[in-house]
Amino acid sequence: MFKKILIANRGEIACRIARTCRRLGVEVAGVHSVADRDALHVKEIGESIEIGGAPASESYLRIDAVIAAAKATGAQAIHPGFGFLAENAAFARAVEAAGLVFIGPTGEVIDRLGDKAAAKQEAQAAGVPTVPGSLTPSEDRAEIAALVRQTGLPVMLKAAAGGGGKGMRAIAQLAGLEDEIDAAMREAKSSFGSAGLIVEKLVERGRHIEVQIVGDGKGHVIHLFERECTLQRRHQKLIEEAPAAQLDPELRARMTADAVRLGQRLKYRGVGTVEFIVGGEDYYFLEVNPRLQVEHPVTEEVTGLDIVELMLRIAAGEGLPLHQEDVHLRGHAVEARICAEDPAAGFLPSTGRLVQVRFPREGVRVETGIEAGMEVTPYYDPMLAKLITHAETRDAALDRLRQALDDTAIFGVTTNCDFLKRLIDLPETRSARFHTRLIDEQIASWDLRAAQQTRQTLALAAYYWLYAQRRNAARPLWQGWGHSGWSLGTGDESLSAAPSLHMAYTGGSVAIRFAPLQTDGSMCIGVGDDCLRVALQPVGADEFLAIIEARRERVRLHQDGDTLYLHDRQGVHAFQAVPYLSYISAAAQASGELKAPMMGLILKVNAAVGEHVEKGAVVALLESMKMEMRICAECAGTVTAIHCQAGQTVERNAIVAVIEPDEEA
């Protein structure tokens, strides 16, 4: 076994690899960018080399810097994790040329599998069924359009050089085809450095099932059964499970045998994933991911194996320490990916400082690379954590995952936790009657708004605001205070004559008045024209028993500056709370300023000063977290200023353009 390795990655996967290394007695070192100086993976690993700027192209994708860091720390081998350089054949070769060991497949195998078109040819040679379509990638827009017409709609455009849903577009009509090709090529180039696309027939209402394989590099290959990754949105996996639900045993046997046969043909070394699309009793090869997968924990939970340990032992020359008959399934496991994104805003990535992070401590496996105080930046993938549950039955595993999401509180950025809970509650999820397009087909009819404010949530947040003000004051907690004009236990429950607090939230605001605190700790709080009796009883750090009239509920509350966070069973609520006098003294103004929704790179500016634009016109294209976002005119008018240019990085809320609205607007 190695004495020391370098982990060439960041976030949760770097922390996870380090955990196995510590258990095996293997020392670890890491790398980080300027943006990740204070990241959790740097603290967890304990030794890390800064290798460049915040963008991945200036740090985590720098082969020379990563290898230099490995040598500087005395590492014998490099583990690439997933993403970044994990599927880069040139990196694998450079590591070996530097006298180090690459913990993964050989550069030759990555070449043969890392490109979707090349992998498809390998699958055909191994007798594995493949999806009809092109066999070679193209960067010629006209050629790709011709292939779409030749294959026949519907088709899928795929980035040949990578996966993860990047550079993929489902095409169901020819209208707008050129724009879709351009967008897919741009995304492919940004994510993988190559704009090449392949065209494949779209298997509609299919299931995405993948087989985990492990090989010793000498022809001994086994499988660790399959994973179900069908619950996706725009080709991005959201919830994964193992084994696949209600999969016909004969179909499972054929798919796993095909995956193993392909691995044997390649003399596959390390771990990899063979992905299939399943329609009825038929299945087709999609691609091979020659690396560790994001969703590998569910396979570990149902087999009892440590997949990272297998990778280390194989790379260290110890061979594959088990045979196919040694691998058995036990129970069911489910994983959910928590991402910093806003479902109500079209899943726009969310950036900012993490004010508070709380994960469940029992009955769930948590894989994360975040902690309170960290900054979520636009430079990397928005995934914050993975929650994995295991139980004897699928229903029990889903129930535990649903509860785990309820018990997770992340304040400071918007997450998809509530959306994930909705997916778990879907009848199609519970009955395993789903397909890869299910979410995309249904989502237009879903209400994706954040947890809605009620009189109760507003009253509890207001009570906590007053509690926090008193807690930080030098005087006794409930001694009379000028903001509200009341003191403890007066017996008078009348509300103050004037509002004491202004609370704003998405979609509205309200004035708050307080009555005196009663001896039992309750208080009447005026929320607009309503009055509610509430109380909060501390039960832990930022945890309270909320008493609202006759109802009691455990909640989390936290204040960060003027922002109040409340986490109840409905989700996370955020409020801006300022004393009422401060609120009414602030002047409100309206303008035609277009602001960047988050920090990112300006890809293109579509307007010029003096130009007239219509409402909804795309004024600029912004890229953040490998996603394209449109900055659109909110009204018809004339552009009076442009404050950005293509290639420029802008901060969140930076004014990129100003529009003088038309008089009628």
Side-chain angles (χ1 to χ4, degrees):
M1 179 53 70
F2 303 112
K3 181 179 179 181
K4 187 174 187 178
I5 74 163
L6 181 96
I7 302 171
N9 217 294
R10 66 179 299 279
E12 62 92 8
I13 191 57
C15 296
R16 186 264 170 275
I17 294 168
R19 189 167 63 246
T20 288
C21 289
R22 283 195 294 269
R23 181 175 61 79
L24 296 176
V26 177
E27 295 180 42
V28 289
V31 293
H32 64 273
S33 69
V34 169
D36 277 341
R37 285 173 176 169
D38 299 318
L40 182 61
H41 80 270
V42 175
K43 300 174 185 177
E44 287 281 315
I45 290 173
E47 179 185 6
S48 187
I49 304 293
E50 188 170 305
I51 56 172
S57 60
E58 299 177 13
S59 50
Y60 296 105
L61 292 176
R62 289 184 55 203
I63 292 175
D64 58 339
V66 171
I67 292 176
K71 290 188 171 183
T73 58
Q76 301 165 288
I78 297 178
H79 196 307
F82 48 67
F84 296 134
L85 295 169
E87 297 179 67
N88 189 309
F91 177 56
R93 291 192 177 97
V95 170
E96 301 286 346
L100 305 171
V101 176
F102 180 73
I103 303 174
T106 63
E108 177 202 0
V109 168
I110 295 175
D111 269 336
R112 294 166 71 181
L113 293 177
D115 181 289
K116 286 185 173 68
K120 191 172 182 180
Q121 295 171 24
E122 293 289 348
Q124 287 185 339
V128 181
T130 60
V131 181
S134 56
L135 290 175
T136 55
S138 175
E139 295 186 25
D140 185 318
R141 291 167 175 78
E143 181 182 12
I144 295 169
L147 282 169
V148 170
R149 293 179 171 89
Q150 177 184 326
T151 305
L153 299 178
V155 301
M156 182 72 77
L157 303 179
K158 291 184 177 181
K166 303 292 191 301
M168 294 180 68
R169 293 291 190 281
I171 307 299
Q173 58 184 12
L174 295 177
L177 174 60
E178 287 71 19
D179 290 341
E180 294 287 359
I181 292 172
D182 284 344
M185 291 179 70
R186 272 198 311 270
E187 201 170 84
K189 180 70 174 177
S190 172
S191 299
F192 313 115
S194 170
L197 303 180
I198 63 171
V199 178
E200 289 186 341
K201 190 71 177 175
L202 177 63
V203 178
E204 298 185 279
R205 306 184 75 81
R207 293 171 63 183
H208 184 123
I209 295 177
E210 57 189 36
V211 177
Q212 178 78 67
I213 62 170
V214 189
D216 64 359
K218 301 176 182 178
H220 179 205
V221 179
I222 65 172
H223 68 80
L224 306 184
F225 292 97
E226 81 286 349
R227 295 185 286 260
E228 176 95 58
C229 304
T230 296
L231 279 174
Q232 305 176 7
R233 177 190 162 270
R234 295 184 181 176
H235 320 298
Q236 291 282 347
K237 299 171 185 175
L238 296 167
I239 293 177
E240 303 103 346
E241 55 185 301
Q246 300 179 14
L247 185 65
D248 179 75
E250 190 272 335
L251 183 61
R252 171 183 286 125
R254 285 193 288 138
M255 290 175 63
T256 52
D258 276 351
V260 168
R261 188 166 65 255
L262 178 57
Q264 290 170 335
R265 168 183 166 79
L266 297 162
K267 290 185 169 55
Y268 195 88
R269 183 184 77 187
V271 306
T273 300
V274 184
E275 301 194 350
F276 297 95
I277 186 74
V278 179
E281 293 302 310
D282 297 319
Y283 62 91
Y284 303 96
F285 170 85
L286 286 178
E287 62 178 327
V288 175
N289 292 137
R291 55 168 169 81
L292 188 66
Q293 288 277 100
V294 175
E295 58 271 26
H296 76 276
V298 292
T299 296
E300 293 183 325
E301 292 298 313
V302 295
T303 61
L305 299 170
D306 185 326
I307 292 176
V308 172
E309 179 181 348
L310 291 176
M311 295 183 77
L312 292 170
R313 294 197 180 282
I314 291 167
E318 296 182 16
L320 185 55
L322 69 165
H323 296 83
Q324 191 64 65
E325 57 268 23
D326 300 322
V327 184
H328 305 283
L329 289 174
R330 53 175 196 179
H332 203 94
V334 193
E335 173 183 285
R337 303 186 185 194
I338 298 177
C339 297
E341 59 187 18
D342 186 358
F347 292 86
L348 188 71
S350 178
T351 58
R353 185 173 64 87
L354 294 167
V355 174
Q356 188 183 63
V357 176
R358 292 284 181 86
F359 293 112
R361 297 176 181 175
E362 297 181 358
V364 59
R365 173 175 169 178
V366 179
E367 299 286 355
T368 188
I370 64 167
E371 63 180 351
M374 281 181 54
E375 196 80 21
V376 177
T377 73
Y379 299 109
Y380 315 114
D381 188 275
M383 188 171 68
L384 302 177
K386 302 179 304 196
L387 302 186
I388 305 99
T389 55
H390 178 258
E392 288 300 312
T393 66
R394 181 173 183 267
D395 279 343
L398 286 169
D399 288 342
R400 288 184 184 178
L401 184 58
R402 179 66 164 77
Q403 183 63 53
L405 287 164
D406 265 340
D407 294 340
T408 297
I410 299 175
F411 299 157
V413 298
T414 304
T415 75
N416 64 339
C417 281
D418 290 342
F419 182 71
L420 293 170
K421 289 188 282 188
R422 180 170 195 146
L423 295 187
I424 292 172
D425 291 340
L426 280 179
E428 292 89 345
T429 299
R430 288 292 181 162
S431 62
R433 293 182 292 105
F434 39 38
H435 56 87
T436 56
R437 297 282 298 164
L438 174 70
I439 298 171
D440 293 329
E441 288 178 1
Q442 292 192 6
I443 198 169
S445 64
W446 294 354
D447 182 359
L448 299 179
R449 291 175 297 174
Q452 298 302 293
Q453 312 307 340
T454 64
R455 297 179 309 145
Q456 288 81 7
T457 58
L458 289 161
L460 287 173
Y463 185 109
Y464 180 75
W465 177 83
L466 196 60
Y467 171 88
Q469 296 290 326
R470 292 306 190 93
R471 182 176 54 186
N472 297 328
R475 69 193 70 186
L477 191 60
W478 294 115
Q479 185 181 343
W481 189 46
H483 276 167
S484 59
W486 51 257
S487 58
L488 175 62
T490 64
D492 179 9
E493 294 199 58
S494 60
L495 295 171
S496 57
S500 302
L501 180 67
H502 178 265
M503 293 181 63
Y505 51 91
T506 302
S509 63
V510 69
I512 300 293
R513 294 185 296 161
F514 297 101
L517 184 75
Q518 300 303 298
T519 54
D520 63 357
S522 68
M523 182 192 306
C524 285
I525 295 180
V527 180
D529 295 331
D530 297 320
C531 183
L532 291 84
R533 179 183 293 279
V534 300
L536 288 173
Q537 296 179 359
V539 294
D542 290 333
E543 291 191 46
F544 297 83
L545 180 66
I547 305 170
I548 312 116
E549 305 295 348
R551 182 165 167 263
R552 294 171 182 246
E553 177 184 353
R554 193 160 176 152
V555 299
R556 289 189 179 95
L557 284 147
H558 188 83
Q559 183 170 0
D560 181 51
D562 290 339
T563 306
L564 285 170
Y565 297 96
L566 166 65
H567 180 220
D568 62 9
R569 296 193 64 81
Q570 305 307 311
V572 175
H573 310 261
F575 311 90
Q576 291 299 118
V578 295
Y580 198 76
L581 288 177
S582 300
Y583 161 69
I584 61 174
S585 66
Q589 64 178 31
S591 72
E593 295 175 346
L594 300 186
K595 297 181 179 180
M598 62 186 302
M599 187 179 181
L601 179 72
I602 297 293
L603 295 177
K604 187 177 181 182
V605 177
N606 294 329
V609 173
E611 181 180 344
H612 185 273
V613 294
E614 298 298 326
K615 181 179 180 180
V618 180
V619 175
L621 280 177
L622 177 77
E623 181 187 63
S624 185
M625 291 185 175
K626 301 180 182 179
M627 292 179 59
E628 282 189 16
M629 284 160 276
R630 298 175 176 181
I631 301 176
C632 300
E634 298 176 0
C635 61
T638 301
V639 179
T640 59
I642 296 289
H643 297 301
C644 66
Q645 60 185 2
Q648 177 184 351
T649 298
V650 295
E651 298 291 331
R652 181 185 183 187
N653 290 325
I655 299 171
V656 299
V658 180
I659 296 174
E660 179 69 31
D662 292 342
E663 287 188 11
E664 58 269 25

